[in-house]
Amino acid sequence: MADERKSEMEAVMRKQRAAHHQMRPEPMALRKDRIERAMKLLTDHGEDLCKVMAADFGNRSPHQSMITDIAGTVKFGRYCLKHMDKWARAEKRHVQFPLGLLGAKAEVRYEPKGVVGILSPWNFPVNLAFGPLMQIFAAGNRAMIKPSEFTEKTSLLTKELVEEYFTPDECAVFTGGPEVAAAFSELPFDHLIFTGSTATGRKVMEAAAKNLVPVTLELGGKSPVFMGESADFAKAGERVALGKMLNAGQICLAPDYLYVPESKQDEAIHGVWQGTANMYPTLLDNEDYASVVTDRHFDRLQELVADARDKGAEVIEVNPGNEDFGGTNARKMPLTILKNVTEDMKAMQEEIFGPVLPVKTYGHIDEAIEYVNEHDRPLGLYYFGQDSNEREKVLTKTISGGVTVNDVIFHVSMEDLPFGGVGPSGMGSYHGVEGFREFSHARSVYTQPKIDVAKLGGFKPPYGPATEKAVKTMMR
C-alpha cells in the first residue's frame, strides 16, 4: 500500500515538473491567478473549513479559526499579489572597475525552483498549508501538500477543495499517516517546507538530504518571556494569557515559560491569572477555548504537570469557574502555572505546546539572558518593559528566530517580516520578500563585453608583466 502511494506521488511530481518545464517562462498573470484561486477557495469554503477544524479538535472556536486560518491567510495572499511584481524583477548588480565602462553587465534573476513540497502540521492546518502556498505560487512554482493525519477531516476537505480549484499539475494534496509523510519527504522536490517539531524536522531533513533537496524548517522550541522590572504586569499578564490560551497553547510560538524578577513573581502570576479569568470566565462549555487535539497530546501535558508536582513545583490551576475537569473527556485543560520549577522537570526540558506555563525568577536580568543562551535557540522571544536599555540588552545578547516586544506571537502576523527559526527552532523563512526568495533560485547572469577582457586583464597565458600588474591591482 505504501509503495502504491509513493508511486502515485512520484507520478504527480513528474506531471508537475513536466508542466513546469513546458510552460517556462510562465506569465506573472498565471501566478496571480493561482493565488487568486487559493484565496477564493478559502473565502468560499471558510465556514466549512472552520467546521471540520472544530470537529478534528473536539472543540475549536470558529471565530478563532476564521481569524488564524482563513482571513489571515486570505490577507497574506492579497499582500503577495500586491508585491510580487516588484519581488520578481531582476536586480542589477555592480561589476568591478573598469568592466562596467567596457560594457559588462551583471544581474540576479529570481526564477522558480519548480515543484515544492509542503509538509503541514495540525495546529493551524489551513494557515500553515496555504500561507506558504501563496508565496510558492508567487515565485512561480507548483506544489504538493501532505497535511497532518491528526486533523483528518480538515485534510480530506482540503484535498477535495484543491482538486476543485486546481489541476493536479498545479497543486495536489496527499492524505495519510506517518508512512505517507515519510515517503513524501523522500521525494526529489526542488524545495521542501516542513512545519512541526524539532525531532520530526531532523528526520525530514535527513530524508531530504538523500536527494539534496533544500529545506525550510519551521520548528519550535521553548520561547521565553522576559518581564523586566519596568513591565506593566497586569497588561503583560493579559497578553501572555491571550498568547498561551489561543488554540489552547498549541502554537509553535506560544510563550513557553516566564522569566520574572524575584520581587515581582506573585504580581506577574496574578497578571496572567487575572488576564485568563477576564477572557475565559469558564472553560468546559466555552466555545472560545479550544480542546487539546488528541488523547495522546492531552496525556503528555498531564504527565508534564504531574512530573513537575512530584519534583517540588507549586501547581496553580487557573480555573475561574471552579469547574470539575475530572468528569469530562472533552480534552479541555485549564491554564496550569508551575512555580519553583527546576531543570530536572520535563516541563523545562521539552517544548510544552499546551496550556502549561512554568515561571522562573531572576535576581538580575543577566541571569535570564545567560539561561536562554545556554539552551537551544528559540523560535520566538518576548520582552515586556519600558526600559529601552534593558530591552536592547536582551535583544543584542540573545538569539531567536523572531521577537515581539511588549506582546507575544504578533511578529508572525506581520506580513512584511520574515518568519523563521534559527538552529534547533528551524532554518529559512517565509513571509516578506524573504519568502519569495526562499522559493526562488537566485540566478546570476553576467554579460561579457566584446573586448578581450581576459587578455586585457593579464589572465591569459603567456603570463607576464600584465599579469603581475593585475595581481597588484587586485590586492590593493
Side-chain angles (χ1 to χ4, degrees), residues 58-372:
N59 183 76
R60 193 187 203 237
S61 160
H63 289 103
Q64 183 215 293
S65 293
M66 213 67 197
I67 292 167
T68 58
D69 282 78
I70 309 298
T73 313
V74 170
K75 192 166 168 286
F76 184 60
R78 202 170 294 121
Y79 162 81
C80 292
L81 287 173
K82 185 179 173 185
H83 295 282
M84 57 194 280
D85 286 317
K86 183 176 68 193
W87 293 340
R89 254 181 241 142
E91 266 181 21
K92 278 194 167 50
R93 293 291 176 96
H94 175 73
V95 294
Q96 297 94 305
F97 178 82
L99 293 172
L101 297 176
L102 301 172
K105 290 184 185 128
E107 67 174 11
V108 177
R109 297 181 181 185
Y110 294 99
E111 299 184 349
K113 287 189 167 182
V115 180
V116 180
I118 303 172
L119 271 166
S120 58
W122 53 264
N123 59 329
F124 293 102
V126 177
N127 176 307
L128 294 172
F130 282 84
L133 184 66
M134 299 296 184
Q135 290 199 302
I136 287 164
F137 281 159
N141 303 291
R142 284 140 203 277
M144 291 168 62
I145 303 170
K146 163 59 182 82
S148 171
E149 67 275 14
F150 288 127
T151 39
E152 193 179 2
K153 294 180 178 74
T154 308
S155 298
L156 287 170
L157 181 57
T158 301
K159 181 179 168 66
E160 277 172 40
L161 293 174
V162 164
E163 283 167 3
E164 190 184 319
Y165 284 76
F166 297 96
T167 58
D169 65 5
E170 292 178 302
C171 186
V173 176
F174 303 90
T175 57
E179 68 293 341
V180 176
F184 186 89
S185 59
E186 285 180 355
L187 294 171
F189 291 108
D190 298 299
H191 194 99
L192 177 62
I193 174 166
F194 166 79
T195 307
S197 71
T198 303
T200 309
R202 290 183 208 280
K203 290 179 189 163
V204 168
M205 192 171 178
E206 196 176 328
K210 291 173 189 170
N211 293 303
L212 295 177
V213 173
V215 291
T216 302
L217 301 178
E218 298 296 348
L219 310 177
K222 299 185 74 61
S223 298
V225 178
F226 287 80
M227 286 197 181
E229 295 272 359
S230 61
D232 176 334
F233 290 93
K235 192 184 280 182
E238 183 160 88
R239 290 177 180 187
V240 167
L242 177 60
K244 192 67 174 175
M245 296 295 275
L246 181 72
N247 213 37
Q250 298 165 109
I251 307 177
C252 54
L253 275 170
D256 196 278
Y257 61 97
L258 287 192
Y259 228 135
V260 301
E262 274 164 17
S263 58
K264 300 284 175 71
Q265 180 176 213
D266 291 338
E267 196 180 338
I269 289 172
H270 180 70
V272 176
W273 197 100
Q274 195 60 56
T276 306
N278 292 348
M279 290 181 284
Y280 303 94
T282 64
L283 297 169
L284 277 181
D285 296 320
N286 187 342
E287 199 186 46
D288 289 346
Y289 187 54
S291 298
V292 174
V293 70
T294 62
D295 290 343
R296 197 184 80 179
H297 285 80
F298 184 81
D299 292 344
R300 187 186 69 84
L301 291 164
Q302 297 295 323
E303 281 166 23
L304 286 184
V305 174
D307 172 75
R309 186 184 272 118
D310 291 348
K311 290 171 181 168
E314 183 186 333
V315 177
I316 302 164
E317 258 192 18
V318 184
N319 182 3
N322 290 319
E323 294 166 286
D324 176 14
F325 287 83
T328 174
N329 60 355
R331 295 195 302 274
K332 289 273 187 104
M333 182 176 177
L335 177 61
T336 307
I337 297 170
L338 304 177
K339 246 176 117 172
N340 308 324
V341 289
T342 51
E343 285 311 285
D344 61 341
M345 295 174 186
K346 282 184 192 160
M348 290 312 296
Q349 294 166 358
E350 301 171 15
E351 182 180 1
I352 288 168
F353 225 72
V356 177
L357 184 64
V359 181
K360 285 179 72 68
T361 63
Y362 63 82
H364 192 277
I365 197 86
D366 288 356
E367 290 169 42
I369 290 168
E370 199 172 310
Y371 177 84
V372 169

